Amino acid sequence: MTDLSDSAKLLIDDKEINLDVYTGVEGERSIDITSLYKDHGLTTYDPSLGNTAICRSSITYIDGERGVLRYRGIPIEQFDRPCPNFIEVAWALIFGRLPDEEELEQFREMLTENELLHEGLKNQFMTLPVDAPPMAILSAMISMMACYHKEFLLLEDEKILMGAAARLISKVRTIAAFTYRRAAGLPFIYPHPGLRYCANFLHMMFSLPYRQFEVSEEMEDALNLLLILHADHEQNCSASAVRVVCSAQANLFASCSAGVNALWGPLHGGANVKVMEMLDGIYRGGYKPEECIEAAKDHNNPFRLFGFGHRVYRNYDPRAKILKTACDRLFAKMKKADPLLDIARKLEELALKDPYFVDRKLYPNVDFYSGILFRAMGIPTNMFTVMFAMGRLPGWIAQWKEQHFADGAKIIRPRQLYVGNPKSNYLEMEKR
Ligand code: CMC
C-alpha cells in the first residue's frame, strides 16, 4: 500500500504550493506533482526520468543504495538454489504470488501446448534475411504474433491473459532457437513436449536430427538461474517502453515488441554483447586490464567499461554477485576455464579500488558476468540479448498487466521544455 503520509511546500513567484507526499512500503517518498501544470501552469524537468516515479507498482522492489532486489517481496538471492524454476518465477511476477502445484502444472501444460509456431508465422520468419540481427527478428516476430493470435488483442480477463502470456513465453523460446539454427545453416529442431523450459530450449539449440543433445543438470540450472535473474527489474528502459505503448491501450504483442527494441540498445540489454566484445578484444589484442581501466576513465576516449554502472544501483548489483558465483560453480563442475572470466575478474578487482569508479559508485551490473555463462553453454554472442529478452518477457507481461488494469490509468504523455526557434516565418527556397 502507498500512503498519503505528508505534504511538501514549493515556493515559486512568492506563491506557496502544497503538494502531497506518498510513502511506499519500504519508506521511499514521492512528491505528487500531477496537478502542478493543471493548477499552476508548471512542469517539472527530469529528462531521463531518473527522479520520476511513473507508476505505483507491486511487482519488483529495488533499493539501489543497498543493492537489494526482490520479486513480489522475495529477495533475489532466494532464487539461487538447486533446481530454480523460471516458470514459477514468471507466474509469480505476472499473477502476484507463487503458484500452487496445480496452478504451476496448468501453466506448464499451456506452455507445452503452445510451443510450436503457427505455420504462417514460420513462413513469415523464413522471409527474413538469414543474417538479420536476432533482436530485429525477435521484435518483428512478436509484433507479427498479433496477426496470428487475434483472440489476444483484447485482454480484459485474467484467464485470457494467461493464455496470451503462455503463448508468448513459449513461442519466444522457439523463435530464439530457430533464429540461431537458421543463421547457422542447421535444420530446425522442434520442441520436445517432455522437456522442461530450459532443457527444451537447449535441445532446440543443440540437438541434431536423430542425435539428441544431452542437457547436463548444471547447464539447465545455470540457464534457469540466468533467466530468473533477468526476469524483471522494475521501471527500466524496456519495461517503461512497454508501459508507454500499453498506456495507449495497445495490445500485449505490440507492447512487448517495443520492449525488445528498447532492450536491444547497448546501454540496456545490448550491453551483454558489448561486454563480450570488450573482453574478447582485450584477450585477442593482448591488452592489459590496467590500460582498459585507464581508457574507461578518459572522457575523451570512447571506450566504456561495459557491464559497469547502473542508473539505480549505487552498490554491487545483486544479480552480478550471484552470477559471479554461478560462473565459479559452473566452470568448476565442467572442469573448464575461460580466459575471458579471468580478464573480467581482474577488471572488476582494479575498478573496485580505483577512485574514479569508487567515487561514482560504479559496480558490475547483471551484464558483466552473464555473457561468460551464455558462452560456456555454447550460445553465440549475437544471441545474448535475445537470451536477456527471453528472461525479461515475464517482467514485461507483468508490467503490461499492471499498467493496463491500473485504476484510472491514463495515456503516458510527458511534456517538454521547448528550446527551439521562437515563432518564425516559412521562407521560399530561393530566399534561404
Ligand atoms: N565506464 C566508465 N564510466 C562510466 C561508466 C562505465 N561503464 N558508467 C558510468 N560512467 C561514468 C560516466 O561517464 C559519468 O561520469 P561523469 O560524472 O564524470 O560525467 C558517471 O559515471 C555517471 O554515469 P552516467 O552515464 O551519467 O549514469 P547513468 O545512470 O545515466 O547511466 C548506465 C547508467 C548503465 C547507462 C551507464 O553506467 C553505462 O553506460 N554503463 C555501461 C553500459 C552497461 O553496462 N549497461 C547495462 C546496464 S544494467 C542492465 C540493463 O539495464 O540492461
Side-chain angles (χ1 to χ4, degrees):
M1 278 291 284
T2 4
D3 271 345
L4 175 59
S5 61
D6 216 337
S7 73
K9 288 188 196 325
L10 175 69
L11 268 179
I12 186 160
D13 303 334
D14 295 331
K15 214 168 47 181
E16 193 176 281
I17 300 171
N18 280 315
L19 299 165
D20 290 340
V21 177
Y22 297 106
T23 303
V25 287
E26 295 293 339
E28 70 277 25
R29 301 205 300 165
S30 201
I31 302 171
D32 182 346
I33 49 122
T34 45
S35 60
L36 210 50
Y37 185 79
K38 185 165 60 78
D39 295 347
H40 307 282
L42 284 166
T43 61
T44 52
Y45 181 65
D46 185 19
S48 57
L49 300 181
N51 212 53
T52 297
I54 66 155
C55 60
R56 289 163 191 238
S57 182
S58 48
I59 303 169
T60 292
Y61 172 72
I62 299 177
D63 178 339
E65 299 300 322
R66 292 191 298 137
V68 170
L69 169 62
R70 297 180 201 141
Y71 292 162
R72 296 291 182 187
I74 305 167
I76 196 72
E77 291 76 13
Q78 292 187 19
F79 295 108
D80 181 19
R81 60 193 166 88
C83 310
N85 189 325
F86 171 61
I87 295 310
E88 191 183 6
V89 172
W91 200 97
L93 285 170
I94 300 169
F95 300 107
R97 58 171 171 82
L98 289 169
D100 63 26
E101 234 174 291
E102 201 184 319
E103 287 165 334
L104 184 59
E105 205 37 54
Q106 185 201 13
F107 196 53
R108 278 213 176 100
E109 277 169 23
M110 289 173 90
L111 292 176
T112 305
E113 279 163 20
N114 291 292
E115 58 195 6
L116 293 174
L117 303 185
H118 187 291
E119 279 298 300
L121 188 60
K122 199 180 126 207
N123 291 339
Q124 299 281 343
F125 172 78
M126 297 304 282
T127 65
L128 298 169
V130 180
D131 60 351
M135 285 298 273
I137 296 180
L138 186 63
S139 139
M141 292 295 285
I142 292 179
S143 205
M144 258 189 284
M145 278 174 71
C147 309
Y148 292 89
H149 301 285
K150 293 202 288 282
E151 69 277 28
F152 297 119
L153 296 187
L154 274 181
L155 295 174
E156 297 312 325
D157 172 293
E158 194 152 287
K159 244 189 165 161
I160 304 179
L161 177 85
M162 193 182 290
R167 268 163 190 80
L168 258 171
I169 294 172
S170 194
K171 289 183 199 304
V172 153
R173 171 185 57 175
T174 310
I175 294 166
F178 278 19
T179 301
Y180 162 70
R181 301 289 296 203
R182 189 158 166 262
L186 292 166
F188 292 143
I189 297 292
Y190 283 86
H192 189 312
L195 292 175
R196 289 271 171 96
Y197 193 84
C198 290
N200 209 347
F201 173 72
L202 293 168
H203 155 69
M204 283 191 269
M205 288 286 284
F206 304 123
S207 285
L208 289 172
Y210 307 108
R211 224 190 306 159
Q212 174 100 11
F213 176 72
E214 290 227 358
V215 180
S216 67
E217 202 183 307
E218 60 262 23
M219 261 217 209
E220 192 180 347
D221 280 357
L223 182 55
N224 243 318
L225 180 65
L226 276 158
L227 296 184
I228 290 171
L229 295 183
H230 285 92
D232 193 54
H233 212 233
E234 51 117 305
Q235 306 316 312
N236 56 83
C237 179
S238 56
S240 305
V242 168
R243 279 190 182 258
V244 169
V245 177
C246 170
S247 78
Q249 296 185 356
N251 65 73
L252 182 64
F253 303 117
S255 306
C256 288
S257 173
V260 171
N261 288 325
L263 188 74
W264 191 2
L267 296 189
H268 191 12
N272 59 13
V273 170
K274 289 287 187 187
V275 171
M276 190 46 61
E277 288 170 355
M278 173 185 80
L279 295 175
D280 198 44
I282 297 173
Y283 177 64
R284 284 175 200 274
Y287 298 108
K288 287 200 176 85
E290 289 80 359
E291 295 172 63
C292 306
I293 294 291
E294 287 311 309
K297 287 156 47 176
D298 178 0
H299 283 4
N300 296 317
N301 189 325
F303 183 83
R304 249 189 179 216
L305 192 56
F306 277 95
F308 254 74
H310 199 277
R311 170 60 59 81
V312 178
Y313 291 119
R314 298 294 172 208
N315 204 323
Y316 215 110
D317 179 336
R319 303 166 299 173
K321 212 178 261 177
I322 296 172
L323 287 176
K324 190 181 177 189
T325 315
C327 279
D328 295 339
R329 208 161 52 210
L330 185 72
F331 283 101
K333 274 196 184 152
M334 290 167 81
K335 297 191 175 51
K336 263 175 86 175
D338 186 341
L340 302 196
L341 177 58
D342 298 334
I343 294 173
R345 284 202 193 102
K346 185 70 194 168
L347 286 171
E348 179 190 331
E349 183 197 317
L350 292 169
L352 294 189
K353 58 184 184 204
D354 189 297
Y356 174 95
F357 292 89
V358 175
D359 294 350
R360 290 169 177 76
K361 298 186 177 170
L362 302 171
Y363 292 85
N365 61 49
V366 68
D367 296 315
F368 198 63
Y369 288 106
S370 63
I372 292 170
L373 284 169
F374 288 137
R375 177 175 137 106
M377 289 172 196
I379 295 166
T381 307
N382 71 343
M383 287 292 295
F384 285 4
T385 318
V386 170
M387 300 304 298
F388 193 148
M390 249 170 80
R392 183 54 57 88
L393 191 55
W396 290 333
I397 297 170
Q399 301 284 345
W400 186 93
K401 178 173 175 250
E402 199 173 67
Q403 179 71 36
H404 183 75
F405 293 106
D407 280 343
K410 286 186 170 185
I411 189 165
I412 298 175
R413 202 299 188 189
R415 294 202 174 252
Q416 64 171 11
L417 192 57
Y418 178 70
V419 293
N421 289 336
K423 188 179 176 201
S424 46
N425 291 324
Y426 176 82
L427 284 181
E428 307 300 324
M429 184 62 83
E430 56 275 13
K431 291 189 188 152
R432 284 177 214 169

